[in-house]
Amino acid sequence: MSDGVLAVEQIINLERYPIADSDSDDCQALIRQFKGDLDSQLYCVMPDFFTQEAIDASVREAFAIKPRGNAASSKRNCYLQRARDPDLPDDHPRNTFFQASYTMMGRHLFTDTSCIVQMYYWQPMIDFIAGIVGVSKLYPNEDPLQPTNILAYSHGDNSAWHFDSVNAFTMTLMLQAAERGGDFEIVPNTRTDTDQCYDAVSKVVQGDRSNVVTVPREAGALVIFRGCNSLHRVTTVEGDENRLMSVFVYENEPGVIGDPEVNETVYGTSTI
Ligand SMILES: O=C(O)CCC(=O)C(=O)O
Ligand SMILES: [Fe+2]
């Protein structure tokens, strides 16, 4: 394409991930492999999913829009709440708060030709991810802010231990790693749908490392994880290099938009 805009064939590494035809044997084999990883470990990693050209373009764009992002810092528990529960003891995980900080860039800041935006709306990509997460269909989120985000973590930033709230899975794509720190850590199946497992959760947030898995990731690696029942965090970033992570949300039905109040907190605005 002209004007420095990359076509989807130049964005996704289709040699290593031939997903353009989701019915092809090659694509079906990839779906089986990553679905197997996701089912057994609660995450799967696809290294070099983005081309170097797409990584470079996305990093440039992220720094260009970062001044308009929402630099947020808050103390929260691992349930993403900020208020303590007076009926529970001080050392309960619901009353254990950690600082989290990063700059959030919402979908409204990206052009339609952004690499991450093009990848997100490309139907073969949506079908590929649906296969991996084991559903027949997925749909883009239709909120003006939520579908495609980039989180920038500068020196001292981190995302403390938490469970993701509503999403059955989260998809992330690393654009730039930190010089030091910024590791993505997860404790698979810390709780279940029916049991909060407060003892196990408490151990993790108090620093027990016995079930912590560090997910290896280089720039360009796509990761899908199930963060609803698996505590996860990003360790504190150190050094001059920002950790730039793009985060994507797909839905099980069309027409899903976010809550304006949540958007106000996350993006610093509820409108575009
Ligand atoms: O930045 C990351 O690697 C993960 C962010 C995260 O926890 C999330 O998007 O739910
Ligand atoms: Fe998360």
Side-chain angles (χ1 to χ4, degrees):
M1 283 192 198
S2 56
D3 306 332
V5 171
L6 300 181
V8 81
E9 296 75 22
Q10 298 167 294
I11 295 170
I12 298 175
N13 179 355
L14 292 176
E15 269 172 43
R16 181 154 174 187
Y17 300 97
I19 61 169
D21 174 5
S22 47
D23 292 330
S24 68
D25 290 348
D26 286 348
C27 185
Q28 287 299 318
L30 288 173
I31 289 174
R32 271 195 304 280
Q33 177 191 340
F34 295 121
K35 182 173 191 308
D37 290 350
L38 183 62
D39 290 347
S40 61
Q41 10 172 82
L42 282 304
Y43 67 88
C44 64
V45 185
M46 294 170 236
D48 296 322
F49 195 82
F50 246 27
T51 64
Q52 191 59 47
E53 243 183 318
I55 295 170
D56 293 345
S58 303
V59 169
R60 273 197 305 275
E61 183 173 26
F63 283 119
I65 61 178
K66 191 182 166 194
R68 289 185 285 144
N70 187 33
S73 176
S74 66
K75 273 195 126 171
R76 60 178 201 206
N77 65 18
C78 64
Y79 308 96
L80 302 175
Q81 298 159 329
R82 280 180 281 184
R84 65 185 303 283
D85 184 335
D87 296 332
L88 293 170
D90 284 348
D91 63 352
H92 191 279
R94 289 207 180 265
N95 284 336
T96 308
F97 296 90
F98 293 101
Q99 197 74 34
S101 62
Y102 42 77
T103 297
M104 171 62 91
M105 296 166 239
R107 164 71 182 95
H108 60 305
L109 299 177
F110 299 92
T111 64
D112 290 349
T113 52
S114 294
C115 297
I116 62 166
V117 172
Q118 287 201 65
M119 178 188 82
Y120 177 79
Y121 291 105
W122 195 44
Q123 195 58 47
M125 178 72 187
I126 300 174
D127 296 341
F128 177 59
I129 303 304
I132 293 170
V133 302
V135 298
S136 58
K137 264 183 127 17
L138 284 174
Y139 301 87
N141 174 294
E142 291 183 25
D143 190 82
L145 306 164
Q146 294 185 353
T148 61
N149 294 167
I150 291 183
L151 279 68
Y153 296 77
S154 332
H155 181 80
D157 283 347
N158 78 309
S159 177
W161 288 115
H162 66 280
F163 295 108
D164 289 343
S165 42
V166 279
N167 298 318
F169 72 94
T170 302
M171 183 170 105
T172 62
L173 184 113
M174 181 71 110
L175 297 174
Q176 179 169 281
E179 269 169 58
R180 291 181 305 285
D183 292 330
F184 180 69
E185 298 184 336
I186 188 165
V187 179
N189 288 326
T190 334
R191 68 176 181 186
T192 71
D193 285 342
T194 51
D195 184 350
Q196 287 289 338
C197 304
Y198 284 127
D199 284 349
V201 170
S202 183
K203 278 188 186 150
V204 175
V205 299
Q206 299 300 340
D208 177 38
R209 309 266 317 153
S210 36
N211 296 312
V212 174
V213 177
T214 302
V215 178
R217 34 199 334 187
E218 309 286 328
L222 187 79
V223 164
I224 297 172
F225 65 94
R226 296 200 188 275
C228 251
N229 289 329
S230 298
L231 278 174
H232 55 281
R233 71 166 178 176
V234 178
T235 64
T236 302
V237 163
E238 293 171 48
D240 292 336
E241 212 76 87
N242 275 206
R243 177 189 193 266
L244 295 175
M245 177 63 85
S246 42
V247 181
F248 307 86
V249 183
Y250 285 120
E251 307 292 346
N252 289 317
E253 58 202 57
V256 175
I257 58 164
D259 172 1
E261 218 175 297
V262 172
N263 281 354
E264 184 73 48
T265 313
V266 176
Y267 302 100
T269 176
S270 56
T271 52
I272 48 174

